[in-house]
Amino acid sequence: METIVTVERTGAVAWVGMNQPERRNALTPEMRDALIEVFERLAEDADCRAVILGGSDRSFCAGGDLSSLPAGDTLASRKRMAQAHRLLRLITELSKPVIAAVDGTAFGAGMSLALACDYVLCSERARFCTAFSNVGLMADMGLLWSLPQRVSAGQVRRLLFTSAVVDGDEALRLGLADQLVTAEELHQSALDLAAQFSGAPPLSVALTKAALTRMPAPLQNVMGLELDGQSQLFSSADFTEGRYAFLEKRRPHFQGR
């Protein structure tokens, strides 16, 4: 049976590959459920410190599978969206950094998946498009939350209302992407970046990422998050290791304790 989501390990880095090129990695129910299973497994894997989400055959993810949409059935549509939101939460609430490695199309829900990640690395062949308005829908899978964090209010409206297609250069200029490389460099660049992320203190990353999902927030709320999180980290073995490493002028070895 075809493996529509693959996982390759390089040390503490897991590369999660959407692998249904004949469908341009569309977010079919099967693809969605396979991604949920993989991310649930990685969430429990203490040896995994960073994740890369990529596609295959010049396509990141072409978006939702319109052919399987339960048109006219509101209850079935809500159940389907709840499963999509489950995947979104797994990515945004994962205690480890997630890097989107975008080569080719990231349309509709595919763009939502990419922007749900902590860092977006793309090739010059990348194409981003909200796409939802093309079929009379509003953006979903958190795009109304993630897109305004990256681009201006005017650009949010342009991209959502017109479903304009954005190439890699424009994506970098607008802030949709954080880094632009050639298609040939994408794989190694993603691995190198993930290796840097995997060396960060796991507890600190987890608490920081959890706090960032609550932004923007009033200053009083931010200080409350700092009070709770930092007091825990002051008592961690990783902070003890980091402090001694700083004083001894060596690289720290964090273990997530």
Side-chain angles (χ1 to χ4, degrees):
M1 184 176 180
E2 180 191 23
T3 302
I4 62 174
V5 175
T6 60
V7 181
E8 298 179 10
R9 294 296 289 266
T10 303
V13 175
W15 187 301
V16 177
M18 293 176 281
N19 184 40
Q20 206 170 25
E22 71 278 6
R23 301 290 303 274
R24 293 192 300 151
N25 300 322
L27 196 64
T28 61
E30 295 78 18
M31 175 71 79
R32 177 203 64 208
D33 291 346
L35 285 169
I36 287 173
E37 181 182 346
V38 166
F39 274 96
E40 285 180 337
R41 191 165 69 245
L42 293 175
E44 301 299 321
D45 186 348
D47 293 328
C48 174
R49 297 282 186 87
V51 178
I52 301 167
L53 178 61
S56 58
D57 196 30
R58 299 192 180 190
S59 183
F60 179 75
C61 175
D65 177 27
L66 297 181
S67 65
S68 66
L69 282 171
D73 188 336
T74 301
L75 182 58
S77 296
R78 288 182 66 87
K79 288 181 177 178
R80 180 183 174 113
M81 283 303 307
Q83 276 294 89
H85 289 164
R86 182 179 170 191
L87 173 58
L88 175 68
R89 284 194 296 269
L90 281 167
I91 295 173
T92 57
E93 296 176 7
L94 191 71
S95 61
K96 315 146 201 275
V98 184
I99 299 166
V102 181
D103 185 28
T105 53
F107 280 22
M111 182 170 171
S112 299
L113 273 180
L115 267 59
C117 298
D118 299 294
Y119 193 95
V120 179
L121 178 69
C122 77
S123 80
E124 80 279 5
R125 298 189 305 207
R127 297 292 182 271
F128 296 87
C129 178
T130 62
F132 294 98
S133 69
N134 286 339
V135 292
L137 295 175
M138 65 182 291
D140 62 23
M141 285 196 67
L143 195 60
L144 292 173
W145 169 76
S146 59
L147 186 60
Q149 295 187 55
R150 288 185 163 270
V151 304
S152 69
Q155 291 295 346
V156 167
R157 287 158 175 77
R158 178 179 77 92
L159 296 175
L160 291 177
F161 295 166
T162 70
S163 291
V165 177
V166 174
D167 63 18
D169 285 325
E170 186 180 3
L172 183 66
R173 187 167 65 252
L174 290 176
L176 288 175
D178 301 298
Q179 188 176 344
L180 177 67
V181 296
T182 66
E184 293 74 22
E185 295 170 329
L186 184 66
H187 188 271
Q188 191 58 52
S189 295
L191 287 175
D192 290 345
L193 183 63
Q196 294 177 41
F197 283 3
S198 70
L203 296 178
S204 171
V205 169
L207 288 172
T208 300
K209 185 169 174 177
L212 289 174
T213 61
R214 293 170 169 83
M215 300 300 146
L219 177 59
Q220 192 66 29
N221 293 13
V222 174
M223 290 190 295
L225 292 170
E226 291 177 357
L227 196 62
D228 292 339
Q230 200 75 308
S231 59
Q232 293 178 57
L233 292 173
F234 279 140
S235 302
S236 68
D238 276 355
F239 172 63
T240 300
E241 163 64 10
R243 181 173 55 181
Y244 280 125
F246 175 78
L247 295 173
E248 295 167 5
K249 295 182 173 55
R250 60 175 175 82
R251 289 179 62 87
H253 176 62
F254 298 116
Q255 301 183 59
R257 296 188 288 110

